[in-house]
Amino acid sequence: MDKHYLTPLFSPRSIVVFAGDMNTPDEQSAHARLVVEHLQKGGFQGPLTFLDVGMSGRLSDLAHSHSDLAVIALPHEQLCEALEVAGRTQCKAALIISSGVDAALAGQLHAIAQQHGIYLLGPNCMGFQRPRALLNASALGRLAQDGALGLVSQSGALTTSMLDWAAKNGVGFSSVISLGANTAVDMAQVLDFLAEDRATQSIVVYLEGIRDARRFMSALRAAANVKPVIVLKAGRRPAGSKAALTHSGAIVGSDDVFDAALQRAGAVRVRTFVQLFSAAKCLSARYLPVGNRLAIITNGGGPGVLAADWANDLNLDVVSLPAEEAAALKPQLSPLATLHDLIDLAEDAVPAHYGAAVKACVHSSSVDGILVILSPKPGVDSDAIAQELADLQKSVGKPLITCWMGDEQVIGARNILRAALIPTFRTPEAAVDAFNNILLFHKNQQLLRQSPPPLSQLAKPDLEGARILIESVLAERRKVLTEMESKALLAAFHIPVTKTMLARSASEAILVANQLGYPVALKIDSADISHKSDVHGVALNINNAAAVRDTWQDMMATVTRLCPEARLNGVTVQNMSGKPNGRELYIGVITDEPFGPVIAFGAGGTMIELIADRAIELPPLNQFLAQRLIDRVRVANLLGPWRGTPAADRDALEQILLRVSEMVCALPQLREMDINPVIVDANGALVVDARIVIDHAPTESGTYQHLAILPYPSDRETEWPMRDGSRYVVRPLHPHDAAMLQALVRGLSPESRYFRFVSSMKELSDRMLARFTLIDYEREMAMVAIYPERTPNPDGSGFTETERIIGVSRYVTNPDKATCEFSLLIADEFSGQGLGSRMMLSIIDVARSKGLSWIEGLVLTKNAAMLKLMRSLDFEVRPYDEDPDFRLCVRQL
């Protein structure tokens, strides 16, 4: 049960090939000829059978061959018949190499594959390559060089270009997989496979589009958690390319959303073809800088300045050594060397000079990464300098990147650097890009480990009131809330708003203004007007009743003239914010296709589109993500003290962002929202204006199916008693539980570790720990039992309250999406207290709520206590045919 379900597809033990007439001049025949030639001459070691769908014989004869993979390269009219034969001969996977298959035929092929339990790659794909297995089941050209890079591409033409470029640049692959339109096995499933593939150390993806954002994000997060994933996305759509009812819809483009999604998934996005492999080259070594401080070592000022300029453009800090460290390094260098800004070793630099400079940067706490540049000059031994760095490589615990400029004179040096696994580039800019990609990977990994709950720890919102308001608006067949309705909805989530009342006449406006107190603001109230300022529908700082009357009359007349078709409800009267030193900011929500709702933040006011200062994030948010969202915009610099104005209350701003995240999670009807402006000063934040667009929700509230990232299921936390009277908490596992989980494994007896992992390992590897702690709550669940402990302080001053994990239960949904596989681990000293039963019942409840039908798991035959527990929980214990050392425990949910 440990093999990945796509193993028969990408690591088949035997293959059957369906190929017809390959002598016709059409494109399909050309593909078939290539596939057959590659399979025959590639060196695949397993049984290889060639069939024709028109041949005679009995299917039972073919079934005995038990081929894992069927490769089908036939005309469109024969595809269904061939796939039917593959299914009836018990093939576990199929590959259809074709082009031009329409959606109708693809649907028929998908149905046949599903009927027979076949994992189908295709139609409309160019196949795949697995160089280490000498398997070239593709029409992509000759077999790629073996390596540790997994390539997934949604363009066959670009894939062939990548392979050609890689062959000339010494880049090897563990897998090359072509995915086209209408393929059954999709990007998410391929990422799942490559994440678990031991031969793959890094994954590069060329992406044109996705169908299911939740599945894609789930797979991408899982893959990026264990190995670097670099994505090149085509088909960017800018902001403002579609009509919108709010500022948010107009200024946030789909490419912005895709960027935010990749960052949240822990992946790195690149913009060019060359950057795709440059990033992979560096990230495969898993360099992890702790900051953006880059030291540049060079033997020429010009290349060093070019590198520094590009680093500044990327917001990297080019640093020099502190004075004391520079003074210690100076005697080891040429008298001509300078150590200001750049570490310029001068034109007469020798290997020892480079080695001394690199060592100084390695030991300096002021340096996070090192870029070494060499310009070939007469008398410079570039090979010897490269060897000096190669000899130092093992002792360098920071990113070390090189740029050996030139061509023929440095070929040998580049080979030395590549052999030592030191990334090397031809230009300073490319090398700086590489360091920036490493830094982005490190930052995005922090985002990957954020798993916020749908509701924050703030006061609970009035969810029922909010839903009643939305339902009443939809019942009136409206989708745009009025300003008062929008503010009422915000107030239900405890977001501070200005007092606002509607005046349908000038006399009503005067009464309201007198009640609220002067000065006041007047705004036109109409669901048909998206931007009130554009039609002179906003008037501020009105100080008396006469001005209120005149303004009301003028505003109604002007708006009626400019927007004769707009339905006017009247004019709202509200207090001025009372924040003369406030900063005008903007918070918005849009619904993206396919990623769902996203939250935007930036500079507010009437010129929001022109200023274009914004950042976006996928919900749900926590405090870390809210702070990061604020820090990513230029206007964040104005939140500090400025020209005698005290610093703004960032905590209040963060709370509003968390409240907006709550709204997005709890209200799937929310489509667009503008909070513009929200005014913040030293005394807090206040929403002055808001506009909200809603629609009927395709999913029920509380299921969170409208979100691309499922929130942390905080509602599943419960407290239970031990038999000895103590208590423990059962809750879903969180990424921050890694240290406690590792402590649990280390504290197990050798027998317990063997029963759980069928291994004598003493602790979890970094990859296993990452895999176990960062989970997708949609397709798996891990529940942990948290036990409080009091540890005496060494100085006798009292006790320290700590927590530990004493039990873990887990299930992972199987590919059939109807069954799941469980595992259970209990700390030795807590066995026999009913904890195992409680932990199993916890995940059974979750699996049942997800609509799963069966739960199953393997238990060692010698693990008598676990088998006894399974029987007590109504599991059926069966023999396991594949291995007599195990028993298969199964229960219907």
Side-chain angles (χ1 to χ4, degrees):
M1 298 176 76
D2 293 332
K3 283 187 178 180
H4 194 274
Y5 62 90
L6 291 183
T7 297
L9 174 60
F10 294 123
S11 297
R13 293 170 296 182
S14 54
I15 300 174
V16 57
V17 182
F18 293 83
D21 184 2
M22 294 180 288
N23 297 318
T24 56
D26 58 275
E27 184 181 27
Q28 186 59 48
S29 294
H31 288 165
R33 285 194 299 271
L34 278 175
V35 172
V36 170
E37 179 183 347
H38 292 157
L39 288 171
Q40 288 177 327
K41 299 180 180 179
F44 176 67
Q45 299 299 307
L48 191 60
T49 307
F50 291 87
L51 297 179
D52 186 330
V53 292
M55 68 184 294
S56 61
R58 293 182 300 176
L59 289 174
S60 58
D61 295 334
L62 296 176
H64 289 308
S65 63
H66 293 294
S67 292
D68 284 338
L69 172 64
V71 178
I72 303 173
L74 292 169
H76 292 181
E77 61 272 14
Q78 296 179 331
L79 294 178
C80 288
E81 186 179 359
L83 187 59
E84 185 70 41
V85 171
R88 294 173 66 182
T89 55
Q90 301 179 20
C91 289
K92 300 175 183 177
L95 164 65
I96 296 180
I97 297 180
S98 62
S99 61
V101 173
D102 60 26
L105 178 55
Q108 295 178 41
L109 294 169
H110 292 185
I112 295 171
Q114 186 173 11
Q115 176 186 352
H116 293 286
I118 291 175
Y119 295 107
L120 173 62
L121 181 61
N124 295 342
C125 81
M126 301 293 285
F128 68 90
Q129 298 184 2
R130 297 275 283 169
R132 188 164 298 180
L134 301 178
L135 174 55
N136 187 357
S138 78
L140 297 169
R142 64 184 180 182
L143 188 65
Q145 178 182 332
D146 184 27
L149 196 61
L151 169 63
V152 193
S153 173
Q154 289 184 329
S155 167
L158 193 60
T159 305
T160 56
S161 301
M162 289 180 177
L163 292 178
D164 183 59
W165 181 90
K168 294 182 179 180
N169 287 272
V171 177
F173 298 91
S174 62
S175 302
V176 178
I177 301 170
S178 167
L179 294 176
N182 297 323
T183 180
V185 171
D186 60 11
M187 178 67 71
Q189 291 171 296
V190 172
L191 286 173
D192 269 339
F193 174 80
L194 293 178
E196 297 188 17
D197 181 35
R198 294 181 181 274
T200 301
Q201 293 182 7
S202 301
I203 303 170
V204 294
V205 178
Y206 171 76
L207 191 66
E208 294 181 347
I210 59 172
R211 291 178 293 188
D212 187 325
R214 172 71 69 80
R215 277 167 46 81
F216 172 73
M217 288 294 290
S218 169
L220 184 60
R221 284 162 61 86
N225 187 44
V226 293
K227 54 192 69 171
V229 181
I230 305 99
V231 180
L232 174 62
K233 169 70 164 61
R236 304 174 196 165
R237 191 175 73 200
S241 60
K242 60 178 181 176
L245 296 173
T246 61
H247 287 292
S248 301
I251 66 176
V252 178
S254 62
D255 204 55
D256 301 321
V257 178
F258 188 83
D259 258 347
L262 285 188
Q263 291 172 20
R264 191 69 177 273
V268 173
R269 182 179 185 181
V270 295
R271 305 285 175 171
T272 68
F273 176 79
V274 174
Q275 285 180 338
L276 188 67
F277 292 102
S278 297
K281 185 190 304 183
C282 293
L283 290 172
S284 62
R286 299 292 283 193
Y287 294 110
L288 288 178
V290 295
N292 67 340
R293 299 169 299 177
L294 179 64
I296 300 175
I297 302 172
T298 179
N299 68 339
V305 171
L306 287 176
D309 286 346
W310 189 239
N312 289 329
D313 287 345
L314 295 175
N315 295 318
L316 302 175
D317 286 340
V318 177
V319 295
S320 55
L321 293 172
E324 186 176 328
E325 296 173 10
L329 174 62
K330 185 70 174 175
Q332 305 176 57
L333 305 179
S334 163
L336 302 177
T338 59
L339 302 180
H340 303 293
D341 298 327
L342 306 177
I343 302 177
D344 188 345
L345 302 180
E347 296 184 358
D348 59 347
V350 298
H353 297 159
Y354 272 92
V358 170
K359 289 177 184 176
C361 291
V362 168
H363 294 116
S364 175
S365 60
S366 301
V367 175
D368 299 316
I370 308 166
L371 169 58
V372 180
I373 303 175
L374 181 138
S375 300
K377 300 176 181 180
V380 173
D381 190 344
S382 60
D383 287 10
I385 295 174
Q387 189 60 54
E388 176 78 13
L389 298 188
D391 294 340
L392 289 174
Q393 167 69 343
K394 291 183 179 179
S395 62
V396 178
K398 299 175 179 178
L400 173 61
I401 298 168
T402 63
C403 171
W404 256 233
M405 301 183 70
D407 197 5
E408 291 186 4
Q409 298 181 52
V410 296
I411 291 176
R414 288 197 185 115
N415 290 334
I416 293 171
L417 293 170
R418 289 192 187 105
L421 301 180
I422 299 175
T424 185
F425 299 89
R426 296 174 182 270
T427 66
E429 294 87 350
V432 173
D433 268 338
F435 177 76
N436 188 53
N437 285 328
I438 300 171
L439 183 63
L440 288 176
F441 174 73
H442 173 63
K443 289 181 177 179
N444 292 351
Q445 287 289 296
Q446 292 178 312
L447 298 180
L448 174 63
R449 285 165 175 77
Q450 304 303 314
S451 295
L455 297 178
S456 67
Q457 299 300 313
L458 303 173
K460 289 185 178 181
D462 181 9
L463 293 179
E464 188 63 27
R467 289 166 183 156
I468 291 173
L469 173 58
I470 288 175
E471 289 168 4
S472 65
V473 172
L474 292 174
E476 296 176 9
R477 298 186 177 180
R478 290 192 292 122
K479 294 185 179 180
V480 181
L481 274 64
T482 65
E483 180 184 354
M484 292 183 63
E485 289 169 337
S486 296
K487 288 182 175 178
L489 192 61
L490 295 176
F493 284 81
H494 306 294
I495 295 175
V497 297
T498 54
K499 292 181 180 179
T500 304
M501 298 181 69
L502 178 65
R504 300 183 184 275
S505 66
S507 58
E508 282 188 14
I510 294 173
L511 291 173
V512 172
N514 289 336
Q515 180 181 351
L516 293 177
Y518 295 97
V520 295
L522 269 63
K523 299 177 184 178
I524 198 70
D525 188 67
S526 172
D528 299 323
I529 298 175
S530 300
H531 309 310
K532 293 185 280 287
S533 297
D534 294 351
V535 294
H536 306 287
V538 178
L540 305 178
N541 288 308
I542 301 172
N543 291 299
N544 55 61
V548 168
R549 178 197 60 205
D550 295 343
T551 301
W552 190 97
Q553 293 172 346
D554 291 344
M555 185 178 293
M556 291 293 290
T558 301
V559 175
T560 300
R561 176 172 53 84
L562 294 176
C563 300
E565 297 180 357
R567 293 164 296 179
L568 306 183
N569 302 320
V571 173
T572 61
V573 183
Q574 56 191 272
N575 291 116
M576 293 296 294
S577 68
K579 296 179 178 295
N581 295 321
R583 288 73 156 174
E584 289 194 357
L585 303 172
Y586 145 83
I587 298 173
V589 173
I590 68 159
T591 300
D592 177 75
E593 180 62 42
F595 286 102
V598 295
I599 299 171
F601 172 79
T606 58
M607 301 201 315
I608 180 173
E609 288 94 347
L610 294 177
I611 296 174
D613 179 26
R614 63 185 176 273
I616 62 175
E617 189 63 77
L618 270 66
L621 302 181
N622 58 14
Q623 189 173 24
F624 175 87
L625 294 171
Q627 291 172 348
R628 178 179 179 273
L629 187 57
I630 296 171
D631 291 336
R632 284 161 53 202
V633 295
R634 299 190 304 274
V635 76
N637 296 323
L638 296 180
L639 298 177
W642 182 71
R643 292 189 177 181
T645 301
D649 186 350
R650 281 185 57 127
D651 290 342
L653 190 57
E654 290 169 13
Q655 287 194 16
I656 292 181
L657 285 169
L658 293 176
R659 290 300 194 183
V660 169
S661 174
E662 291 181 346
M663 292 181 68
V664 169
C665 292
L667 305 175
Q669 302 93 338
L670 200 60
R671 291 293 178 270
E672 293 183 23
M673 179 168 68
D674 274 351
I675 300 178
N676 181 33
V678 52
I679 300 180
V680 57
D681 65 5
N683 299 315
L686 185 67
V687 172
V688 174
D689 203 352
R691 182 177 177 84
I692 296 176
V693 180
I694 60 174
D695 203 348
H696 294 281
T699 61
E700 295 182 7
S701 300
T703 62
Y704 309 116
Q705 293 302 312
H706 60 298
L707 302 178
I709 300 175
L710 198 66
Y712 175 78
S714 54
D715 58 325
R716 294 196 174 275
E717 182 173 317
T718 55
E719 187 178 48
W720 298 92
M722 286 280 195
R723 290 177 180 170
D724 61 4
S726 59
R727 304 186 72 83
Y728 62 96
V729 172
V730 175
R731 62 164 173 80
L733 181 70
H734 194 278
H736 297 154
D737 293 330
M740 288 196 294
L741 183 63
Q742 185 73 281
L744 169 65
V745 174
R746 287 172 177 164
L748 294 172
S749 66
E751 181 183 55
S752 295
R753 277 197 295 267
Y754 183 78
F755 280 162
R756 169 60 182 89
F757 301 105
V758 197
S759 167
S760 59
M761 66 178 188
K762 296 182 179 180
E763 64 179 18
L764 299 173
S765 67
D766 290 342
R767 177 166 293 187
M768 293 177 68
L769 194 59
R771 172 66 188 87
F772 286 157
T773 53
L774 185 73
I775 64 175
D776 175 12
Y777 302 111
E778 176 71 12
R779 59 179 175 175
E780 59 184 311
M781 177 58 76
M783 303 295 290
V784 291
I786 304 294
Y787 188 72
E789 290 186 327
R790 300 181 70 201
T791 306
N793 294 329
D795 59 2
S797 59
F799 295 87
T800 300
E801 301 286 342
T802 60
E803 291 182 337
R804 61 177 291 203
I805 292 178
I806 59 173
V808 185
S809 58
R810 179 187 303 267
Y811 80 78
V812 179
T813 304
N814 290 324
D816 60 14
K817 299 180 183 178
T819 63
C820 61
E821 182 179 349
F822 75 84
S823 62
L824 177 67
L825 179 62
I826 303 296
D828 291 328
E829 62 267 42
F830 288 89
S831 62
Q833 297 198 46
L835 183 59
S837 298
R838 172 50 50 200
M839 298 305 293
M840 283 299 303
L841 291 173
S842 295
I843 60 163
I844 286 172
D845 288 343
V846 178
R848 186 182 292 117
S849 71
K850 293 292 185 180
L852 299 176
S853 304
W854 293 84
I855 185 168
E856 61 185 14
L858 292 177
V859 178
L860 280 167
T861 306
K862 296 180 180 180
N863 194 348
M866 183 67 172
L867 292 175
K868 180 181 178 181
L869 173 63
M870 293 297 99
R871 292 187 177 97
S872 71
L873 295 173
D874 298 327
F875 278 78
E876 180 184 351
V877 179
R878 306 171 182 172
Y880 185 55
D881 295 338
E882 296 184 22
D883 192 336
D885 289 336
F886 289 90
R887 293 290 181 267
L888 180 63
C889 301
V890 181
R891 171 178 162 166
Q892 187 172 9
L893 297 174

